[in-house]
Amino acid sequence: MTAASDRLLRRLEWQVLRRLDGRLQGGHRTVWRGAGLDFSDVRAYTPEDDVRHIDWNVTARMDEPFVRQYTEDRDLTAWLVLDRSASMRGTGRQGKDATLNELAVCLARLLTYRGNRVGAILFDNRHQRVIPPRTGRDQVLRLTHELDAPAPRAEAGATTDLSAMLRLAAATARRRSLVLVLSDFIGDPGWERALALLSHRHEVVAVRIVDPAELDLPDLGMIFVEDAETGEQLLVDSGDPLLRRRLEAEVQARESGLADTMNRAGVAAHRVTTDTDLVDALVDMVRRTRRRVR
């Protein structure tokens, strides 16, 4: 592994993970639970439970919903599915790709801290890289090295095939695992079914990485707006009230649609903007995931 990879990991361990120690109760080992496979008992259903765990036979006999409980594995296998497509690439330290890289390294280090295994899938349309799951700091260094390398040049005019990315994750993760998908979820439509199929077998957490300008276009006068996927450019007046209202409506519709998709698929969804402090983002992610599990 390169010296640059080691420096990046050490910086994140010092700047992010060290600060997390005092803010995550119970230490790193309880950030995420194992994905147990052994049935242990049934109990009465509560609104926070996953409907996929309802035991319909017991429910029919008792005339009220019951859910199955499973014994958790002590060791967790996790997969990081990392979108390296054109729309994720940026310039400078605040780009979506930089945020994805740092977040992925931090998640990998958190998950391997107590012996859990972590693998990764680096995806764009033409290039995929699979890192088999292993544990230990050396595995995090290997991931850091892969992320630190320049991403392959994207295919001109192509949009991200998110369905292919999610299908690759389903085919690669053969045993039940925790799957964390880090992406801006910008790409070809029709990926919802692939997400639902992935979450049917695995515990899926979607981490959507967003540039704040995608949510609220700054008023900068006449500017060129470029489609990050296709490279198409358009000259617009960013201060035009009509344009701003249309963009705001489109953003709200997109946010609502994504939330509905994640909810229907039974996926824990988080949004991380490129200007968010990573410590705050990770703490919020862990707390919200714990509340959902309860």
Side-chain angles (χ1 to χ4, degrees), residues 54-67:
I54 291 178
D55 187 314
W56 295 106
N57 291 329
V58 177
T59 296
R61 291 198 303 271
M62 303 299 294
D63 202 27
E64 62 176 301
F66 277 75
V67 294

Side-chain angles (χ1 to χ4, degrees), residues 191-210:
W191 50 267
E192 295 84 358
R193 175 172 171 76
L195 179 66
L197 290 173
L198 181 65
S199 68
H200 182 72
R201 179 174 178 81
H202 304 284
E203 182 70 24
V204 179
V205 177
V207 183
R208 189 159 65 96
I209 299 174
V210 180

Side-chain angles (χ1 to χ4, degrees), residues 39-89:
F39 169 75
S40 61
D41 201 356
V42 294
R43 61 168 173 78
Y45 172 84
T46 64
E48 295 80 15
D49 288 326
D50 189 334
V51 295
R52 294 172 300 178
H53 295 161
I54 291 178
D55 187 314
W56 295 106
N57 291 329
V58 177
T59 296
R61 291 198 303 271
M62 303 299 294
D63 202 27
E64 62 176 301
F66 277 75
V67 294
R68 287 173 171 258
Q69 292 181 291
Y70 296 88
T71 303
E72 291 179 343
D73 294 335
R74 290 186 176 274
D75 295 328
L76 174 70
T77 298
W79 284 92
L80 301 175
V81 181
L82 308 176
D83 181 355
R84 303 260 284 174
S85 63
S87 65
M88 289 295 297
R89 297 172 194 173

